[in-house]
């Protein structure tokens, strides 16, 4: 179990933890309710009598305690049907609830901060089976002039079996309407054009912090940038290190001005 807490307004607070231990507790029921706890962190059904009501997660580490509950929104199915080709002939299954209503609070250095539920949502992503050998994954929450809020999940994953990169976007533009589009070019912004990098002192991995995503629809081009350089979550013996960066997004979607926020995940498995 791993998590990070970031002050996106100033970037002045960033706390992260990765916990992997044999001392854990898992409980489940026939109804589908569950509770997982590891070293002071937990992830569980919000209502054990109604598992579809939502999920709850929280943890307490030096400097930060949080307890958050979120519901489920209309889903985004990756690949349009909830599955797509992974590496070496595997099949990845994945869906997301990209806009769950959110409540809860954080305690930061002794000061309680309540989540304003009217303007807060949670993107919950569920993936199982298959994987890529290495990947970039993007959670994209866009506000588009004239179109409103658009939810997009982008995969840029390396298939070791075919030695090719699979790049595609799964898009929820309207409730109940899902589309899938190729993203032929995912390019790191070079230093000559203002691109930045970050080298981890823990893993010695160098991460690019700014990317341009050019969709097959040439009127859609998004620039994503990590707002804080060091957002790597260090690994454990059973969890590889991962860059889990909060990003700002600018650009165009179908020719219309777009701004937003999201997450970039960069992981190397093998």
């Amino acid at each position: 179990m791993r998590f990070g807490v970031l002050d996106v307004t100033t970037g002045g607070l960033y706390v992260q933890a990765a916990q992997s231990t044999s001392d854990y507790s898992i409980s489940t029921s026939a109804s589908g309710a569950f509770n997982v706890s590891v070293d002071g962190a937990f992830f569980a059904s919000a209502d054990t009598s109604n598992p579809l009501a939502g999920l709850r997660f929280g943890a307490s580490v030096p400097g930060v305690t949080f307890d958050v509950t979120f519901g489920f929104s209309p889903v985004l199915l990756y690949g349009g049907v909830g599955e797509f080709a992974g590496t070496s002939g595997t099949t990845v299954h994945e869906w997301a609830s990209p806009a769950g209503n959110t409540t809860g609070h954080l305690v930061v250095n002794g000061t309680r901060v309540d989540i304003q539920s009217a303007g807060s949502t949670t993107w919950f992503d569920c993936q199982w089976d298959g994987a890529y050998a290495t990947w970039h994954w993007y959670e994209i929450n866009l506000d588009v002039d004239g179109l409103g809020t658009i939810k997009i999940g982008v995969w840029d994953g390396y298939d070791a079996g075919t030695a090719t990169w699979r790049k595609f976007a799964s898009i929820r533009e309207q409730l109940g309407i899902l589309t899938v589009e190729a993203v032929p070019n995912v390019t790191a912004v070079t230093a000559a054009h203002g691109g930045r990098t970050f080298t981890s002192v823990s893993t010695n991995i160098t991460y690019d912090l700014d990317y341009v995503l050019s969709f097959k629809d040439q009127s859609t081009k998004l620039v994503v940038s990590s707002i804080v350089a060091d957002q790597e979550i260090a690994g454990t013996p059973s969890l590889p290190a991962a860059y889990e960066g909060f990003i700002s997004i600018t650009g165009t979607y179908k020719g219309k001005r777009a701004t937003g926020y999201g997450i970039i995940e960069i992981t190397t498995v093998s």
Side-chain angles (χ1 to χ4, degrees), residues 113-134:
V113 179
D114 291 313
I115 293 173
Q116 297 180 2
S117 58
S120 301
T121 61
T122 294
W123 180 305
F124 173 68
D125 213 271
C126 186
Q127 177 189 343
W128 68 100
D129 294 336
Y132 289 117
T134 185

Side-chain angles (χ1 to χ4, degrees), residues 82-166:
E83 64 178 48
F84 53 91
T87 191
S88 302
T90 61
T91 298
V92 183
H93 299 87
E94 186 174 13
W95 61 271
S97 166
N101 292 329
T102 303
T103 60
H105 68 275
L106 299 86
V107 179
V108 180
N109 294 324
T111 300
R112 179 179 170 121
V113 179
D114 291 313
I115 293 173
Q116 297 180 2
S117 58
S120 301
T121 61
T122 294
W123 180 305
F124 173 68
D125 213 271
C126 186
Q127 177 189 343
W128 68 100
D129 294 336
Y132 289 117
T134 185
W135 67 80
H136 292 58
W137 171 79
Y138 303 83
E139 169 201 318
I140 295 175
N141 304 271
L142 282 185
D143 287 320
V144 182
D145 287 354
L147 294 178
T149 302
I150 312 293
K151 303 292 186 178
I152 306 174
V154 175
W155 274 102
D156 178 14
Y158 183 68
D159 181 348
T162 60
T164 57
W165 287 85
R166 299 184 183 275

Side-chain angles (χ1 to χ4, degrees), residues 6-72:
L6 171 68
D7 181 342
V8 299
T9 303
T10 66
L13 170 73
Y14 178 59
V15 176
Q16 54 100 339
Q19 299 173 328
S20 177
T21 177
S22 58
D23 182 17
Y24 62 88
S25 172
I26 299 177
S27 63
T28 61
S29 71
S31 68
F34 73 97
N35 186 312
V36 179
S37 60
V38 178
D39 289 346
F42 67 88
F43 184 48
S45 300
D47 182 349
T48 56
S49 66
N50 180 14
L52 295 180
L55 297 171
R56 181 179 171 217
F57 67 97
S60 182
V61 296
V64 173
T65 297
F66 61 91
D67 189 334
V68 178
T69 298
F70 62 90
F72 295 112

